[in-house]
Amino acid sequence: MRRLQTDILILGSGGAGLFAALHAHTIDPTLRITVAVKGLLGKCGCTRMVQGGYNVALAPGDSPERHFMDTVEGGGWLNNQDLVWTLVTEAPRRIRELENELGCFFDRNPDGTIHQKAFAGQTFDRTVHKGDLTGIEIVNRLAEQVWARNIGRLEEHRAIALVKSGRGEAIAGVVLIDMRTGDFVFVQAKAVVLATGGGPTMYRYHTPSGDKSCDGMAMVLRAGLSLRDMEMVQFHPTGLLAGIDTRLTGTIIEEGLRGAGGHLLDGAGERFMPRYDKRAERATRDIVSRAMFDQMRNGKTGPNGGVFFTMRHLDPALVRREFKGMVERCRDVGFDLVSGLVEVVPTAHYMMGGVEFAPDGATALPGLFAAGEDTGGVHGANRLGGNGVANSTVFGGLAGDAVAAWVKENGAWREPDVGDIDAAVAFASQPLQRPAGSLEPIRSALYDAMWEDVGIVRDAASLARGADVLADLDRRLDAVGVAADDLAFNLTWHDWLNLKNLVLVSRAIAAAATAREDSRGAHWRADFPQPSALDTSRYTQVRLRGSAIDVCSQPVAFTRVRPGESLIRDAAE
Ligand SMILES: Cc1cc2nc3c(=O)[nH]c(=O)nc-3n(C[C@H](O)[C@H](O)[C@H](O)COP(=O)(O)OP(=O)(O)OC[C@H]3O[C@@H](n4cnc5c(N)ncnc54)[C@H](O)[C@@H]3O)c2cc1C
């Protein structure tokens, strides 16, 4: 097996991974930093796909306290409040860094201040954006800076296992597959930043980029660490529903469209959201998604089984000007966003759960840091639109600062546990030893089980059914083979690895959803429709023990504000 050495290994090149690399390099340019990524650096992951924008309290009248309260209220009081406070207080610094040091240029008001638009579930218009294609601006500028510096790259290298030191006291490195050849590579590193970005691609309709298959979360589980809040999967209400023969089905049209006054209509053309929430279409994503699901279950659908979205009652020039990218995207699949109806469906978008971490990115395993969508605790039960890219860039930068400092203090290449490396290679190679079969029926059964039984509305019976199917799918994956004649860019092999990870993380979602017997944020139990008492809130923790998923819960620490109180009032006093 090829063996490489680096001081800091960063897994993933989204907002979290690229910021971690740049900050670590700024702290100490002599460090050997390597970014390993499943795709091409700057061309993959979800940060690039960010449409709407970035939440940050900048304007007069807004404040970090207000951003904090919106985030905690939106998160159903499950958030780790210290992480939220870090998010809202660091975000203004990070947005200035993006503009003043890294070269991003966001949309402006006529007076030259940064334009901030409305996003659902927020009490202030605080979403910074570059038209409706904000992520491309951010990732292009970050990638240019990484290319310009002495930062190593392992592109098309897929991480498959975190490897501890022989005595298990710290991280020693990572096993990867060089996807271009199919060879295994062990990268020994003094510290590792996990930034592979979650991605709920186990649902029939989903938004994240195709390279995301919860690899980081699966690696964390197999390494014995815990994940929190895994039952909290966010569905974005406006996924395009353009039939089964286009990959654009499931991809989203952005939330700012609802913020700007777009309406949702049932199959008969009736507006339904005002019946579900006084904020109507501007209610949070969970509420809107459930209302749509309800309409769909009652058969009030369009031709493809979804509902309709329309902007035709608004000024057409405004829609064309403000949402150029969305108008084009709809046109690509035959919909007219300006004056017609667009068929939409709730689509799995984001995982609020993930590995537990401290504000500086440290995890329970010394030397392993994490940031971005692989982590849990920032968003609690529900993420506000615009807080995702703020999360990945704020905590990516902080993890970069901390990992560089950690390597200076504790830095040593540790001898890896050879058993861990052998086990990782044996695990990934197993389908290559069996006669080739088809993965398609397994993928399709996974999509169905997660959408029907572990999706927007759940109950004990559906979750039990879903868990049974997932256990069966895991067994079927262990029995199916993959042709091994050519391992270079062997996409079927990588699909098998993707499915193995997705099934494991789906089991974690189902187990956490079964354990949480109340409804909170994105988690809706038809058999327990009420939230439990907020001031005794607990969050779920899952861990892998042998092949079983163990679930327990921990009390939420209200370190800054208790339910019923407000930081905004405190700040004003
Ligand atoms: C369509 C869309 C629109 C969005 N719009 C918004 C928005 O308007 N505002 C907002 O705040 N948020 C938005 N989000 C969410 C936002 O993109 C994420 O919250 C955030 O940017 C994720 O950053 P990340 O760095 O954690 O992960 P990503 O940017 O997804 O990066 C993950 C990286 O890890 C790599 N990777 C994955 N697996 C492996 C592996 N095994 N080995 C090595 N590398 C690996 C990937 O290739 C990728 O480079 C949107 C998401 C989508 C999908």
Side-chain angles (χ1 to χ4, degrees):
M1 183 190 302
R2 192 151 59 99
R3 232 181 129 118
L4 304 172
Q5 258 187 352
T6 188
D7 292 322
I8 298 172
L9 178 64
I10 293 168
L11 301 177
S13 71
L18 293 176
F19 253 108
L22 291 173
H23 273 228
H25 183 265
T26 302
I27 295 269
D28 184 353
T30 66
L31 284 173
R32 262 201 282 165
I33 301 167
T34 306
V35 180
V37 48
K38 205 170 174 182
L40 296 174
L41 192 143
K43 304 285 179 204
C44 54
C46 289
T47 308
R48 205 182 157 74
M49 299 165 81
V50 165
Q51 302 172 345
Y54 189 122
N55 290 345
V56 51
L58 292 177
D62 200 7
S63 64
E65 285 81 2
R66 206 164 165 157
H67 188 184
F68 177 95
M69 288 308 302
D70 284 348
T71 303
V72 170
E73 296 270 6
W77 292 87
L78 280 194
N79 322 55
N80 175 315
Q81 298 193 353
D82 292 338
L83 293 175
V84 180
W85 187 247
T86 306
L87 175 80
V88 300
T89 51
E90 285 289 321
R93 262 196 284 276
R94 196 65 82 242
I95 213 80
R96 296 210 165 87
E97 184 180 349
L98 278 163
E99 276 215 327
N100 300 345
E101 294 176 35
L102 300 168
C104 289
F105 193 68
F106 299 114
D107 284 9
R108 287 294 196 269
N109 294 312
D111 67 359
T113 53
I114 294 182
H115 182 258
Q116 295 184 272
K117 65 180 167 183
F119 251 28
Q122 300 190 58
T123 58
F124 202 92
D125 296 354
R126 65 166 68 91
T127 308
V128 170
H129 62 108
K130 169 87 175 178
D132 53 11
L133 298 172
T134 311
I136 292 181
E137 174 75 355
I138 293 176
V139 169
N140 283 358
R141 301 294 84 79
L142 290 175
E144 284 161 9
Q145 293 294 326
V146 168
W147 288 324
R149 299 182 199 199
N150 182 25
I151 293 174
R153 282 183 267 154
L154 289 172
E155 292 174 294
E156 294 174 322
H157 277 67
R158 170 195 193 133
I160 57 164
L162 305 171
V163 176
K164 294 183 200 161
S165 59
R167 285 185 289 127
E169 86 285 11
I171 191 94
V174 176
V175 179
L176 300 107
I177 298 173
D178 178 347
M179 298 166 76
R180 299 163 309 176
T181 59
D183 295 335
F184 290 98
V185 184
F186 175 66
V187 180
Q188 191 179 26
K190 294 172 182 169
V192 172
V193 180
L194 185 75
T196 67
T201 54
M202 64 284 274
Y203 287 89
R204 187 187 295 158
Y205 304 110
H206 59 253
T207 67
S209 58
D211 47 325
K212 300 224 297 191
S213 48
C214 297
D215 295 359
M217 294 181 188
M219 288 191 284
V220 159
L221 281 173
R222 293 191 189 105
L225 277 73
S226 60
L227 302 176
R228 64 171 283 174
D229 297 329
M230 289 304 288
E231 69 278 26
M232 301 301 176
V233 179
Q234 179 170 82
F235 285 78
H236 192 296
T238 48
L240 285 175
L241 188 53
I244 50 164
D245 45 4
T246 165
R247 271 293 284 140
L248 280 174
T249 276
T251 61
I252 48 172
I253 48 174
E254 67 131 309
E255 180 144 304
L257 295 166
R258 283 189 290 125
H263 287 167
L264 284 159
L265 311 177
D266 66 18
E270 292 280 324
R271 191 172 170 216
F272 55 86
M273 271 317 299
R275 293 204 304 276
Y276 290 87
D277 193 280
K278 63 177 187 311
R279 292 165 294 181
E281 283 82 0
R282 286 184 72 166
T284 46
R285 291 175 176 179
D286 53 320
I287 293 170
V288 181
S289 293
R290 264 196 312 277
M292 292 168 67
F293 196 68
D294 195 37
Q295 296 292 310
M296 290 161 60
R297 283 225 158 144
N298 290 327
K300 296 181 174 170
T301 63
N304 292 307
V307 297
F308 293 117
F309 182 77
T310 186
M311 307 281 279
R312 63 185 173 190
H313 52 288
L314 302 174
D315 173 13
L318 175 133
V319 177
R320 270 193 213 98
R321 186 178 65 244
E322 299 289 322
F323 300 103
K324 184 167 175 284
M326 296 303 106
V327 171
E328 281 166 13
R329 173 167 294 194
C330 288
R331 193 184 304 131
D332 285 345
V333 289
F335 294 133
D336 176 0
L337 178 64
V338 180
S339 49
L341 297 174
V342 178
E343 194 168 0
V344 290
V345 67
T347 177
H349 187 46
Y350 189 91
M351 300 169 80
M352 275 69 76
V355 62
E356 295 193 72
F357 77 119
D360 68 353
T363 68
L365 179 64
L368 178 68
F369 293 74
E373 204 178 325
D374 274 340
T375 62
V378 177
H379 309 294
N382 201 8
R383 173 179 74 91
L384 297 181
N387 269 358
V389 64
N391 171 48
S392 58
T393 55
V394 160
F395 288 103
L398 294 176
D401 297 337
V403 74
W406 193 88
V407 165
K408 275 186 168 179
E409 293 259 309
N410 309 283
W413 281 300
R414 292 171 174 81
E415 268 316 300
D417 182 333
V418 180
D420 273 7
I421 299 180
D422 291 346
V425 172
F427 168 78
S429 308
Q430 47 159 316
L432 306 174
Q433 330 293 334
R434 297 188 285 261
S438 171
L439 299 178
E440 243 358 88
I442 300 178
R443 181 194 320 285
S444 166
L446 174 64
Y447 282 171
D448 288 348
M450 292 305 284
W451 176 256
E452 299 293 343
D453 290 332
V454 196
I456 296 170
V457 176
R458 307 138 173 197
D459 61 30
S462 79
L463 289 167
R465 216 166 35 238
D468 284 349
V469 173
L470 292 170
D472 181 54
L473 293 180
D474 205 31
R475 284 190 289 272
R476 285 166 65 185
L477 280 170
D478 287 343
V480 72
V482 167
D485 38 347
D486 186 357
L487 295 184
F489 291 114
N490 186 326
L491 296 185
T492 313
W493 184 25
H494 287 285
D495 243 8
W496 184 88
L497 290 162
N498 291 345
L499 284 167
K500 238 354 227 183
N501 289 344
L502 287 172
V503 168
L504 175 60
V505 175
S506 299
R507 288 174 56 215
I509 295 171
T514 306
R516 176 172 285 288
E517 294 187 330
D518 75 342
S519 289
R520 195 73 83 95
H523 171 71
W524 183 265
R525 288 278 302 251
D527 46 353
F528 296 98
Q530 299 302 324
S532 53
L534 293 185
D535 52 3
T536 51
S537 293
R538 299 178 74 85
Y539 65 90
T540 58
Q541 254 181 348
V542 296
R543 203 181 276 278
L544 197 57
R545 293 209 197 275
S547 59
I549 306 268
D550 246 23
V551 193
C552 62
S553 70
Q554 301 292 339
V556 174
F558 299 113
T559 52
R560 289 174 190 266
V561 61
R562 297 193 64 79
E565 298 171 355
S566 171
L567 269 196
I568 302 172
R569 195 184 53 240
D570 291 345
E573 275 168 359

